[in-house]
Amino acid sequence: MIVAQVILASLGLFIIILGLLVWKKRCYKIVAGYVEGSIKNEEAFGKVNGIFIMIMGITTILFSFFIERLNVWVFNVSLIVLVSAQIAVNSRMARR
């Protein structure tokens, strides 16, 4: 179990770093489906997606600490909810 915890915590930290790259450094090419010029307010796009990506990383780190108590389905469902919310927010941003 310790190996799985270390792997998930490392993965979560990597995902948080990716979120910071999207938010602060404006590396939008990391985000799947991003087409340059398709978003009018790129600063808000980067902030929202960076925060969502960092929340996914935090969720991964938290799951690594509770891996023995929680089921994998809890983790999967939480990521599905986060990704669905991110899709909804991005589709709303694309309309503006």
Side-chain angles (χ1 to χ4, degrees):
M1 282 296 178
I2 292 182
V3 174
Q5 288 176 332
V6 170
I7 290 172
L8 283 174
S10 303
L11 182 65
L13 184 63
F14 178 70
I15 293 171
I16 289 173
I17 291 170
L18 288 178
L20 285 171
L21 284 174
V22 170
W23 183 13
K24 297 292 184 183
K25 299 294 182 181
R26 298 182 178 155
C27 294
Y28 303 135
K29 293 180 182 180
I30 296 173
V31 179
Y34 173 73
V35 177
E36 193 169 337
S38 64
I39 303 295
K40 295 176 185 171
N41 190 354
E42 288 188 354
E43 186 174 322
F45 173 80
K47 183 177 180 179
V48 166
N49 283 302
I51 289 172
F52 268 113
I53 293 170
M54 287 190 301
I55 290 172
M56 286 182 207
I58 292 168
T59 304
T60 305
I61 291 173
L62 287 176
F63 182 73
S64 73
F65 290 123
F66 299 110
I67 195 168
E68 295 173 357
R69 294 186 192 130
L70 293 177
N71 194 349
V72 175
W73 288 104
V74 174
F75 179 67
N76 289 339
V77 168
S78 65
L79 287 184
I80 289 171
V81 168
L82 281 171
V83 169
S84 300
Q86 186 176 8
I87 290 170
V89 169
N90 282 336
S91 66
R92 211 168 212 204
M93 286 181 127
R95 290 186 205 150
R96 292 183 185 177

